[in-house]
Amino acid sequence: MPIKKVMVIGAGQMGSGIAQVCAQSGYEVLLNDVNEDALKKGMQHIENRLTRSVDKERIREQEKNGALARLKSTTDMQNVKGCDMTIEAIVENMDVKANVFRQLDKYAPEHAILATNTSSLPITEIAAMTNRAEQVIGMHFMNPVPVMKLVEVIRGLQTSDATHEAVADMAKNLSKTAVEVNDYPGFAANRILMPMINEAIFALHEGVASVEDIDTVMKLGMNHPMGPLTLADFIGLDTCLYIMEVLHDGFGDSKYRPCPLLRKYVNAGWYGKKSGRGFYQYN
Ligand code: NAI
C-alpha cells in the first residue's frame, strides 16, 4: 500500500525536521507530542525554517504554503488511525519508546509501517513490543534533518523485505540517500561518531587542550566542518550519554565507557545547545 499519510511522534529537534521534510515532499503529516508546548514550538520552528528558505530563495512561497497545508498537529496518539506510516522521534530511552510502540501497534492501521529514528537502540527489541515485527524498522535521520542527506535504514531481525523497500523508496522521495545497516549497537553512524566525541570529552577532562582548541584541531587538522564538542552540544549531551551507554552495554567493552565529564554535565542539566549550556554557552 502506498505511503500517503505519516504520523511523526516527538516534535523536538529531530521530529520537527522529519515532519517538515515529509510535508515538503508531498506527504500528509500529523505531528504528535505529549507536551503541548513542545508541539507548538515544533510547529513554529517548521514555519520559521520554511520562511527562512523562502527569504533565501531556496524554495518558493507556494512550496512553503503547500507544506504547511499538509501539516497538522495533535497531542492524541490515537489520531494515528488514518496513517500508513509512523516515525517515532522521542527521547532516547527504551522504556519510553517501548510504551509508545505498544500504543502505536494498538491504534495504527494493520498495514502501517512503524519506524523509529533511534540513534542507537536495538530495532529488534523495539519491534518485539509490537505484534508486527516485520513492519518495524529503523529510519535514522541526521541532524539537521532538512539539510543532511543521509538516512540509515536499519533492519531488525524480523523486518520484511517489503518494509525495507517501502522505507528505502520513501527516503528517496524525501531526497535523501539511504544506506542499509544491520541491527548492532549504534548502527554504523554512531558506532563511529560517538567514540570520537567521547574521546574529545576525555581529552578535555584530562586537560589535554581547551574546548576551543580541541574543536580547532578537528576542524583545521581533519577538515571536519564542525568540532566534536560543538557537535556534541548540537546533538544534545543527554543523547550523547545515552548512546555511549548503549554502546557500552551492547558490546560490554570498556573502550565505550562514557567520559565522567559527559555524565557530570548531563547531571547538571547542561544538555548543550537546546538547554543553553553545554561545552559552550548559548543565548
Ligand atoms: P528532543 O529532546 O529535542 O525531542 C524529543 C521530543 O519527544 C520532546 O518534544 C518530548 O516532549 C517528546 N516526547 C517525549 N516522550 C513522548 C511521548 N511518549 N510521546 C510523544 N512525544 C514524546 O530530542 P531529539 O534530539 O529530537 O531526539 C529524538 C530522537 O531522535 C532520539 O531517539 C534521538 O536519539 C534521535 N536522534 C537524535 C539526533 C540528534 O542529533 N539530536 C540525531 C539522530 C537521531
Side-chain angles (χ1 to χ4, degrees):
M1 197 175 285
I3 297 169
K4 290 190 175 145
K5 188 166 179 185
V6 182
M7 177 183 263
V8 178
I9 304 106
Q13 341 185 49
M14 295 304 290
S16 74
I18 295 168
Q20 178 184 332
V21 295
C22 288
Q24 278 184 273
S25 307
Y27 294 94
E28 293 293 323
V29 181
L30 204 48
L31 182 58
N32 163 266
D33 203 294
V34 275
N35 179 328
E36 201 150 339
D37 271 356
L39 191 54
K40 270 194 200 139
K41 257 195 217 157
M43 294 293 280
Q44 193 58 54
H45 279 147
I46 295 174
E47 191 169 345
N48 294 349
R49 282 194 297 258
L50 288 170
T51 303
R52 223 176 305 132
S53 295
V54 172
D55 292 345
K56 292 190 170 164
E57 296 183 356
R58 286 198 201 111
I59 63 169
R60 285 186 304 187
E61 185 81 33
Q62 219 176 345
E63 188 182 335
K64 170 189 153 183
N65 294 338
L68 291 177
R70 282 186 289 276
L71 181 66
K72 309 254 170 341
S73 67
T74 178
T75 50
D76 185 356
M77 204 183 291
Q78 291 196 31
N79 287 330
V80 70
K81 284 196 174 88
C83 295
D84 310 300
M85 161 113 182
T86 66
I87 307 176
E88 167 276 313
I90 64 167
V91 57
E92 186 76 344
N93 176 301
M94 187 49 125
D95 292 340
V96 187
K97 286 200 197 284
N99 192 32
V100 162
F101 271 79
R102 277 190 214 104
Q103 287 186 60
L104 288 173
D105 189 36
K106 189 162 156 197
Y107 297 118
E110 241 174 68
H111 72 275
I113 291 174
L114 310 183
T116 170
N117 180 52
T118 177
S119 305
S120 60
L121 294 169
I123 307 304
T124 306
E125 195 177 330
I126 293 175
M129 305 301 158
T130 73
N131 292 307
R132 58 175 98 188
E134 67 290 348
Q135 286 159 241
V136 176
I137 193 160
M139 200 175 186
H140 182 211
F141 290 83
M142 304 294 130
N143 189 9
V145 182
V147 177
M148 302 297 279
K149 289 284 167 225
L150 179 74
V151 178
E152 273 188 308
V153 178
I154 306 118
R155 299 184 74 132
L157 188 63
Q158 299 175 76
T159 307
S160 70
D161 290 342
T163 299
H164 177 262
E165 231 166 80
V167 168
D169 280 351
M170 184 179 182
K172 211 182 284 170
N173 291 339
L174 301 177
S175 305
K176 304 290 182 201
T177 299
V179 292
E180 186 180 346
V181 178
N182 284 319
D183 191 15
Y184 268 86
F187 317 130
N190 281 315
R191 183 169 177 171
I192 299 166
L193 174 68
M194 272 311 150
M196 185 199 68
I197 287 179
N198 196 47
E199 200 57 36
I201 304 171
F202 266 115
L204 176 70
H205 185 52
E206 290 165 14
V208 175
S210 67
V211 171
E212 290 79 6
D213 286 349
I214 289 169
D215 277 351
T216 301
V217 164
M218 297 308 284
K219 275 193 297 183
L220 302 188
M222 319 299 155
N223 226 3
H224 288 197
M226 194 184 273
L229 299 175
T230 302
L231 183 55
D233 273 359
F234 193 54
I235 293 169
L237 301 190
D238 52 338
T239 301
C240 291
L241 177 59
Y242 210 90
I243 296 169
M244 283 313 297
E245 280 170 343
V246 167
L247 291 172
H248 196 211
D249 291 349
F251 292 114
D253 188 330
S254 63
K255 77 176 178 184
Y256 298 110
R257 173 173 72 104
C259 178
L261 187 64
L262 173 61
R263 202 179 289 286
K264 193 183 268 185
Y265 277 25
V266 172
N267 287 341
W270 293 5
Y271 295 153
K273 196 162 184 251
K274 65 182 169 188
S275 73
R277 178 78 206 250
F279 294 106
Y280 294 88
Q281 207 142 1
Y282 304 86
N283 293 325

